[in-house]
Amino acid sequence: MVLLAVASCPRRLARRSRSAIAAALTVLLIQTLIVWNFSSLDSGDEQRGGGGSREKRDRGSHRDEPRLGHEQQQRRRGAALHNQALDGYFSHRPKEKMRTDSNNENSVPKDFENIDNSNFAPRTQRHKHQTEQGKKPLSRQKEHLKKKLALEEKMKENSLLEKNSNEVLHYVGDPSKNLTSANLKDGYRSTKLHHTKKTGNSSPEIKYELPPKCEITGKEAISALSRAKSKQCRQEIAEVYCQHKQGKLMPEKVSRLCPLEGKANNNVQWDEDSLEYMAANPVRIAFVLVVHGRASRQLQRMFKAIYHKDHYYYIHCDKRSNYLHRQVVQFASQYPNVRVTSWRMATIWGGASLLSTYLQSMRDLMEMSDWSWDFFINLSAADYPVRTNDQLVAFLSRYRDMNFLKSHGRDNARFIRKQGLDRLFLECDTHMWRLGDRKIPEGITVDGGSDWFLLNRKFVEYVTFSNDDLVTKMKRFYSYTLLPAESFFHTVLENSPFCDTMVDNNLRITNWNRKLGCKCQYKHIVDWCGCSPNDFKPSDFHRFQQTARPTFFARKFEAAVNQEIIGQLDYYLYGNYPSGTPGLRSYWENLYDEPDGIHSISDVMLTMFHSFSRMGLKRAEGSLHTDGENTCR
């Protein structure tokens, strides 16, 4: 019995030691995995540079801080906060691919009051209308913004400008040198921004050759300064902000010249038999086409649908669309009544540059003595006619003294708030920067709606050449406005001597779908949220056949999305194409043209093109090459 007991002891000890060794190995493996996991996350976050992952890394790193010295902890926290500042001053702009989109749309759909721009308010201020927001649970986006607000309170010692967010930016300069509104833009071109670094713990100070004469305290202006890329843009932001702060930028009061007390209520009639009424002197139309991108085939098809020898066509091609510009110049040279602008602007969504494009086009048309036109109509390549030219001419000849604009048709105060008319904006670096609040001028009624319109020649001449108080101050006011083309002509017309000629209808159908079009898709180029209409599909064709109100154009149409609806419209207006016409059910765009250079396409597209070329050549050689025949090679 003793021998058996002695023999069982080693066995128990061996089993215990094996269990202990297995437990130790398990703990060691887990520790190794945890260390590897944290190191891989840290390196992955640095490569991606994402704001959200960086926040997680910062939170995770606090667990190891007790092991570090106090000085090391401070250095790590400062580096983390500085990295957050480099992400864009806690900007609301998402980390997405930068893309400038110049297709300006009407941002006021039928239910525009449901769009929420409160997340674009200054980030340390309480949102307005909290009672309305309190009824709804916070979305993920608002919870994320709430976390950023808490983080920003901890960041008072760091920013991209190395200044406190509540601290003033000081500018050193001669106060005797004042920039007037006349030479303000010229001053922007000649000024240069200089940075001087200070030693020690002090922050660097920004200096200007022609400095603004104010202290920049507005959070939105400071945020814009921190995010602007070029020195010239930062100079413009500072100068405009100071001009506005000193009360020298915006008009306080504007004279109303309309004899009516309210808005004109002109009703126009339309029926399918209106073609029978043809005036002895039919109107002639000046079509202004504002186009961009590379969809030259779509543009030429739309041009063919609206072309008539009695009308005139003035085409502006975006400054960044060189391929399309070459195509436009080529086909415009074949027509005596088609011209291309000698100047080009880079128009962005919501930018003030679109209004400048229209005003300059109007001036050019008024100065063309050989073009005698009666109506100004603006179109894009995404538009298409839904009535024939004869029907359009017959209708406008009956109402040749009217101006056709679509108003928002709702409470003005709500429209002003949702449209951002009470905010100061500046366009530079292909971006619309929000710089702060402003007041609507007294004495006039502000109106707005769609930026697609039909204006008669008398009103165009008034807007172009008049120097009265209304036109001069409204041009100044809307030079610093988001989506100015959606409000400038409405406001001027409603307060001008031509106010009785306004018709609340722009003769168009727009395909609005708020759930698809109001997703703030332009936040990377505007400090605001807006909406854009959607593309028509074949199921929408019945909407073009309505006769309740006069409509002659519709938008938007994208051949790259659906070309069948365009074919349906062509057949409905002009009959079917001849049999055998190529390309009726296919669509393509030129992604690369030799004059643009190899750098005009991305590396991804270049790799794909090379791959397809090699595959095509290999397939051709294998399928066509036979014994004794070597022509394919």
Short mmCIF file of all heavy atoms in Angstrom, two decimals, residues 410-451:
data_model
loop_
_atom_site.label_atom_id
_atom_site.label_comp_id
_atom_site.label_asym_id
_atom_site.label_seq_id
_atom_site.Cartn_x
_atom_site.Cartn_y
_atom_site.Cartn_z
N ARG A 410 -43.23 79.74 -50.06
CA ARG A 410 -43.51 79.51 -48.65
C ARG A 410 -43.05 80.71 -47.82
O ARG A 410 -42.66 81.73 -48.37
CB ARG A 410 -42.83 78.22 -48.16
CG ARG A 410 -43.57 76.97 -48.63
CD ARG A 410 -42.73 75.71 -48.36
NE ARG A 410 -43.48 74.50 -48.64
CZ ARG A 410 -43.68 74.01 -49.86
NH1 ARG A 410 -43.19 74.64 -50.91
NH2 ARG A 410 -44.38 72.91 -50.02
N ASP A 411 -43.08 80.53 -46.53
CA ASP A 411 -42.74 81.61 -45.62
C ASP A 411 -41.31 82.10 -45.88
O ASP A 411 -40.37 81.30 -45.93
CB ASP A 411 -42.87 81.11 -44.18
CG ASP A 411 -42.50 82.17 -43.17
OD1 ASP A 411 -43.09 83.26 -43.20
OD2 ASP A 411 -41.58 81.91 -42.38
N ASN A 412 -41.15 83.41 -46.04
CA ASN A 412 -39.85 83.96 -46.39
C ASN A 412 -38.81 83.75 -45.28
O ASN A 412 -37.64 83.50 -45.57
CB ASN A 412 -39.98 85.46 -46.69
CG ASN A 412 -40.05 85.72 -48.18
OD1 ASN A 412 -40.16 84.80 -48.98
ND2 ASN A 412 -39.98 86.98 -48.56
N ALA A 413 -39.22 83.89 -44.04
CA ALA A 413 -38.27 83.72 -42.93
C ALA A 413 -37.70 82.31 -42.93
O ALA A 413 -36.49 82.12 -42.73
CB ALA A 413 -38.96 84.03 -41.60
N ARG A 414 -38.54 81.33 -43.17
CA ARG A 414 -38.06 79.95 -43.21
C ARG A 414 -37.15 79.74 -44.41
O ARG A 414 -36.12 79.05 -44.32
CB ARG A 414 -39.24 78.99 -43.26
CG ARG A 414 -38.84 77.53 -43.27
CD ARG A 414 -40.06 76.64 -43.35
NE ARG A 414 -40.91 76.81 -42.18
CZ ARG A 414 -42.13 76.31 -42.08
NH1 ARG A 414 -42.65 75.63 -43.07
NH2 ARG A 414 -42.83 76.49 -40.98
N PHE A 415 -37.50 80.32 -45.55
CA PHE A 415 -36.66 80.18 -46.75
C PHE A 415 -35.29 80.82 -46.52
O PHE A 415 -34.26 80.24 -46.88
CB PHE A 415 -37.35 80.84 -47.94
CG PHE A 415 -36.49 80.94 -49.16
CD1 PHE A 415 -36.25 79.83 -49.95
CD2 PHE A 415 -35.90 82.14 -49.52
CE1 PHE A 415 -35.44 79.92 -51.08
CE2 PHE A 415 -35.10 82.24 -50.64
CZ PHE A 415 -34.87 81.11 -51.42
N ILE A 416 -35.26 81.99 -45.91
CA ILE A 416 -33.99 82.67 -45.65
C ILE A 416 -33.11 81.82 -44.75
O ILE A 416 -31.90 81.69 -44.97
CB ILE A 416 -34.26 84.05 -45.03
CG1 ILE A 416 -34.87 84.99 -46.08
CG2 ILE A 416 -32.98 84.65 -44.46
CD1 ILE A 416 -35.34 86.31 -45.52
N ARG A 417 -33.69 81.22 -43.73
CA ARG A 417 -32.91 80.41 -42.80
C ARG A 417 -32.39 79.15 -43.47
O ARG A 417 -31.21 78.81 -43.33
CB ARG A 417 -33.77 80.06 -41.58
CG ARG A 417 -33.07 79.15 -40.59
CD ARG A 417 -33.93 78.97 -39.34
NE ARG A 417 -35.23 78.42 -39.66
CZ ARG A 417 -35.48 77.12 -39.76
NH1 ARG A 417 -34.51 76.25 -39.59
NH2 ARG A 417 -36.70 76.70 -40.03
N LYS A 418 -33.25 78.44 -44.18
CA LYS A 418 -32.83 77.19 -44.81
C LYS A 418 -31.88 77.42 -45.98
O LYS A 418 -31.02 76.59 -46.25
CB LYS A 418 -34.06 76.41 -45.29
CG LYS A 418 -34.87 75.80 -44.17
CD LYS A 418 -34.05 74.75 -43.43
CE LYS A 418 -34.84 74.11 -42.30
NZ LYS A 418 -34.02 73.13 -41.56
N GLN A 419 -32.03 78.54 -46.66
CA GLN A 419 -31.16 78.85 -47.80
C GLN A 419 -29.83 79.45 -47.37
O GLN A 419 -28.89 79.52 -48.16
CB GLN A 419 -31.89 79.81 -48.75
CG GLN A 419 -31.26 79.96 -50.11
CD GLN A 419 -31.57 78.80 -51.04
OE1 GLN A 419 -32.14 77.81 -50.62
NE2 GLN A 419 -31.20 78.93 -52.30
N GLY A 420 -29.75 79.89 -46.12
CA GLY A 420 -28.51 80.48 -45.63
C GLY A 420 -28.29 81.90 -46.11
O GLY A 420 -27.15 82.38 -46.15
N LEU A 421 -29.36 82.62 -46.47
CA LEU A 421 -29.21 83.99 -46.93
C LEU A 421 -28.77 84.93 -45.82
O LEU A 421 -28.25 86.01 -46.09
CB LEU A 421 -30.52 84.49 -47.55
CG LEU A 421 -30.97 83.77 -48.83
CD1 LEU A 421 -32.32 84.31 -49.30
CD2 LEU A 421 -29.93 83.94 -49.93
N ASP A 422 -28.99 84.53 -44.58
CA ASP A 422 -28.57 85.37 -43.45
C ASP A 422 -27.17 85.01 -42.98
O ASP A 422 -26.77 85.38 -41.87
CB ASP A 422 -29.57 85.24 -42.29
CG ASP A 422 -29.77 83.80 -41.87
OD1 ASP A 422 -29.30 82.89 -42.58
OD2 ASP A 422 -30.42 83.57 -40.82
N ARG A 423 -26.40 84.31 -43.81
CA ARG A 423 -25.01 83.96 -43.50
C ARG A 423 -24.10 84.56 -44.56
O ARG A 423 -24.49 84.70 -45.73
CB ARG A 423 -24.82 82.44 -43.47
CG ARG A 423 -25.79 81.70 -42.57
CD ARG A 423 -25.61 82.05 -41.12
NE ARG A 423 -26.53 81.32 -40.25
CZ ARG A 423 -26.20 80.21 -39.60
NH1 ARG A 423 -24.99 79.70 -39.72
NH2 ARG A 423 -27.07 79.61 -38.83
N LEU A 424 -22.89 84.89 -44.16
CA LEU A 424 -21.89 85.45 -45.06
C LEU A 424 -21.04 84.32 -45.62
O LEU A 424 -20.46 83.54 -44.85
CB LEU A 424 -21.02 86.47 -44.32
CG LEU A 424 -19.95 87.17 -45.17
CD1 LEU A 424 -20.59 88.15 -46.14
CD2 LEU A 424 -18.94 87.88 -44.27
N PHE A 425 -20.94 84.24 -46.95
CA PHE A 425 -20.15 83.22 -47.62
C PHE A 425 -19.13 83.88 -48.54
O PHE A 425 -19.34 85.00 -49.03
CB PHE A 425 -21.04 82.29 -48.45
CG PHE A 425 -21.80 81.28 -47.64
CD1 PHE A 425 -23.04 81.60 -47.10
CD2 PHE A 425 -21.28 80.02 -47.43
CE1 PHE A 425 -23.75 80.67 -46.37
CE2 PHE A 425 -21.98 79.08 -46.68
CZ PHE A 425 -23.22 79.41 -46.15
N LEU A 426 -18.06 83.16 -48.78
CA LEU A 426 -17.03 83.61 -49.72
C LEU A 426 -16.55 82.42 -50.52
O LEU A 426 -16.29 81.35 -49.97
CB LEU A 426 -15.85 84.24 -48.98
CG LEU A 426 -14.64 84.62 -49.85
CD1 LEU A 426 -15.00 85.77 -50.79
CD2 LEU A 426 -13.44 84.98 -49.00
N GLU A 427 -16.42 82.60 -51.84
CA GLU A 427 -15.93 81.53 -52.71
C GLU A 427 -14.47 81.76 -53.05
O GLU A 427 -14.10 82.79 -53.61
CB GLU A 427 -16.75 81.47 -54.00
CG GLU A 427 -16.28 80.38 -54.95
CD GLU A 427 -17.09 80.30 -56.23
OE1 GLU A 427 -18.11 81.02 -56.33
OE2 GLU A 427 -16.72 79.52 -57.14
N CYS A 428 -13.64 80.80 -52.70
CA CYS A 428 -12.25 80.77 -53.12
C CYS A 428 -11.73 79.36 -52.91
O CYS A 428 -12.30 78.59 -52.12
CB CYS A 428 -11.39 81.79 -52.36
SG CYS A 428 -11.25 81.51 -50.58
N ASP A 429 -10.67 79.01 -53.61
CA ASP A 429 -10.15 77.63 -53.57
C ASP A 429 -11.23 76.61 -53.94
O ASP A 429 -11.29 75.52 -53.37
CB ASP A 429 -9.58 77.29 -52.19
CG ASP A 429 -8.19 77.86 -51.97
OD1 ASP A 429 -7.64 78.43 -52.93
OD2 ASP A 429 -7.66 77.73 -50.85
N THR A 430 -12.10 76.99 -54.91
CA THR A 430 -13.24 76.15 -55.33
C THR A 430 -14.01 75.63 -54.13
O THR A 430 -14.36 74.44 -54.05
CB THR A 430 -12.78 74.98 -56.22
OG1 THR A 430 -11.87 74.16 -55.50
CG2 THR A 430 -12.13 75.48 -57.49
N HIS A 431 -14.30 76.51 -53.20
CA HIS A 431 -15.04 76.16 -51.99
C HIS A 431 -15.83 77.39 -51.54
O HIS A 431 -15.38 78.52 -51.70
CB HIS A 431 -14.08 75.72 -50.88
CG HIS A 431 -14.76 75.12 -49.69
ND1 HIS A 431 -14.94 73.77 -49.53
CD2 HIS A 431 -15.33 75.69 -48.61
CE1 HIS A 431 -15.57 73.54 -48.39
NE2 HIS A 431 -15.83 74.70 -47.82
N MET A 432 -17.02 77.15 -51.00
CA MET A 432 -17.81 78.23 -50.41
C MET A 432 -17.63 78.18 -48.90
O MET A 432 -18.12 77.27 -48.22
CB MET A 432 -19.29 78.07 -50.78
CG MET A 432 -19.62 78.47 -52.20
SD MET A 432 -19.36 80.23 -52.54
CE MET A 432 -20.78 80.96 -51.73
N TRP A 433 -16.91 79.19 -48.37
CA TRP A 433 -16.60 79.24 -46.95
C TRP A 433 -17.67 80.07 -46.23
O TRP A 433 -17.99 81.17 -46.66
CB TRP A 433 -15.23 79.87 -46.72
CG TRP A 433 -14.13 79.23 -47.51
CD1 TRP A 433 -13.59 79.69 -48.67
CD2 TRP A 433 -13.45 78.03 -47.20
NE1 TRP A 433 -12.61 78.85 -49.11
CE2 TRP A 433 -12.50 77.80 -48.21
CE3 TRP A 433 -13.54 77.10 -46.14
CZ2 TRP A 433 -11.65 76.70 -48.22
CZ3 TRP A 433 -12.70 76.02 -46.16
CH2 TRP A 433 -11.76 75.82 -47.18
N ARG A 434 -18.14 79.56 -45.13
CA ARG A 434 -19.08 80.32 -44.31
C ARG A 434 -18.30 81.09 -43.25
O ARG A 434 -17.54 80.50 -42.48
CB ARG A 434 -20.08 79.38 -43.63
CG ARG A 434 -21.31 80.10 -43.13
CD ARG A 434 -22.32 79.11 -42.59
NE ARG A 434 -22.00 78.67 -41.25
CZ ARG A 434 -22.70 77.76 -40.58
NH1 ARG A 434 -23.73 77.19 -41.15
NH2 ARG A 434 -22.36 77.41 -39.36
N LEU A 435 -18.51 82.40 -43.20
CA LEU A 435 -17.69 83.26 -42.35
C LEU A 435 -18.44 83.86 -41.18
O LEU A 435 -17.83 84.53 -40.35
CB LEU A 435 -17.08 84.40 -43.19
CG LEU A 435 -16.27 83.97 -44.43
CD1 LEU A 435 -15.66 85.18 -45.10
CD2 LEU A 435 -15.21 82.96 -44.05
N GLY A 436 -19.76 83.70 -41.12
CA GLY A 436 -20.50 84.26 -40.00
C GLY A 436 -21.90 84.67 -40.40
O GLY A 436 -22.39 84.35 -41.49
N ASP A 437 -22.55 85.39 -39.51
CA ASP A 437 -23.93 85.84 -39.74
C ASP A 437 -23.94 87.23 -40.37
O ASP A 437 -22.96 87.97 -40.32
CB ASP A 437 -24.70 85.88 -38.42
CG ASP A 437 -24.79 84.51 -37.77
OD1 ASP A 437 -24.70 83.52 -38.51
OD2 ASP A 437 -24.96 84.45 -36.53
N ARG A 438 -25.07 87.57 -40.93
CA ARG A 438 -25.29 88.90 -41.48
C ARG A 438 -26.79 89.20 -41.46
O ARG A 438 -27.61 88.29 -41.27
CB ARG A 438 -24.76 89.01 -42.91
CG ARG A 438 -25.52 88.15 -43.92
CD ARG A 438 -25.01 88.35 -45.33
NE ARG A 438 -25.76 87.55 -46.29
CZ ARG A 438 -25.52 87.54 -47.60
NH1 ARG A 438 -24.55 88.27 -48.10
NH2 ARG A 438 -26.24 86.78 -48.41
N LYS A 439 -27.14 90.45 -41.67
CA LYS A 439 -28.53 90.88 -41.66
C LYS A 439 -29.05 91.06 -43.08
O LYS A 439 -28.32 91.48 -43.96
CB LYS A 439 -28.68 92.20 -40.89
CG LYS A 439 -28.36 92.10 -39.40
CD LYS A 439 -28.56 93.44 -38.72
CE LYS A 439 -28.26 93.34 -37.21
NZ LYS A 439 -28.43 94.65 -36.55
N ILE A 440 -30.31 90.72 -43.27
CA ILE A 440 -30.97 90.97 -44.55
C ILE A 440 -31.22 92.47 -44.66
O ILE A 440 -31.70 93.10 -43.71
CB ILE A 440 -32.28 90.19 -44.65
CG1 ILE A 440 -32.01 88.69 -44.49
CG2 ILE A 440 -32.98 90.46 -45.96
CD1 ILE A 440 -31.16 88.10 -45.58
N PRO A 441 -30.91 93.10 -45.80
CA PRO A 441 -31.15 94.54 -45.93
C PRO A 441 -32.62 94.90 -45.73
O PRO A 441 -33.52 94.16 -46.12
CB PRO A 441 -30.69 94.83 -47.37
CG PRO A 441 -29.77 93.72 -47.73
CD PRO A 441 -30.27 92.52 -46.99
N GLU A 442 -32.84 96.03 -45.12
CA GLU A 442 -34.19 96.52 -44.90
C GLU A 442 -34.72 97.20 -46.15
O GLU A 442 -33.96 97.65 -47.01
CB GLU A 442 -34.21 97.50 -43.73
CG GLU A 442 -33.76 96.90 -42.40
CD GLU A 442 -33.77 97.93 -41.29
OE1 GLU A 442 -34.07 99.11 -41.59
OE2 GLU A 442 -33.46 97.58 -40.14
N GLY A 443 -36.04 97.28 -46.25
CA GLY A 443 -36.68 98.02 -47.32
C GLY A 443 -37.12 97.18 -48.50
O GLY A 443 -37.87 97.67 -49.35
N ILE A 444 -36.67 95.90 -48.61
CA ILE A 444 -37.02 95.07 -49.74
C ILE A 444 -37.56 93.73 -49.26
O ILE A 444 -37.41 93.38 -48.08
CB ILE A 444 -35.83 94.82 -50.68
CG1 ILE A 444 -34.69 94.13 -49.93
CG2 ILE A 444 -35.35 96.11 -51.31
CD1 ILE A 444 -33.57 93.65 -50.82
N THR A 445 -38.18 93.01 -50.17
CA THR A 445 -38.65 91.66 -49.90
C THR A 445 -37.72 90.67 -50.59
O THR A 445 -37.50 90.76 -51.79
CB THR A 445 -40.08 91.47 -50.43
OG1 THR A 445 -40.95 92.41 -49.80
CG2 THR A 445 -40.56 90.05 -50.14
N VAL A 446 -37.14 89.77 -49.82
CA VAL A 446 -36.23 88.77 -50.38
C VAL A 446 -37.05 87.57 -50.85
O VAL A 446 -37.93 87.09 -50.14
CB VAL A 446 -35.19 88.33 -49.34
CG1 VAL A 446 -34.34 87.19 -49.88
CG2 VAL A 446 -34.32 89.51 -48.94
N ASP A 447 -36.76 87.11 -52.05
CA ASP A 447 -37.48 85.98 -52.63
C ASP A 447 -36.45 85.05 -53.28
O ASP A 447 -35.27 85.39 -53.41
CB ASP A 447 -38.50 86.47 -53.66
CG ASP A 447 -39.53 85.39 -53.99
OD1 ASP A 447 -39.49 84.32 -53.36
OD2 ASP A 447 -40.38 85.62 -54.88
N GLY A 448 -36.88 83.88 -53.68
CA GLY A 448 -35.98 82.94 -54.32
C GLY A 448 -36.67 81.63 -54.63
O GLY A 448 -37.82 81.41 -54.26
N GLY A 449 -35.96 80.76 -55.31
CA GLY A 449 -36.49 79.46 -55.68
C GLY A 449 -35.53 78.74 -56.61
O GLY A 449 -34.39 78.48 -56.26
N SER A 450 -35.97 78.45 -57.81
CA SER A 450 -35.15 77.72 -58.78
C SER A 450 -34.21 78.67 -59.52
O SER A 450 -34.54 79.82 -59.79
CB SER A 450 -36.06 77.01 -59.79
OG SER A 450 -35.28 76.43 -60.82
N ASP A 451 -33.02 78.17 -59.86
CA ASP A 451 -32.06 78.98 -60.60
C ASP A 451 -32.13 78.71 -62.10
O ASP A 451 -31.18 78.99 -62.83
CB ASP A 451 -30.63 78.74 -60.09
CG ASP A 451 -30.23 77.28 -60.17
OD1 ASP A 451 -31.12 76.44 -60.40
OD2 ASP A 451 -29.05 76.97 -59.97
#
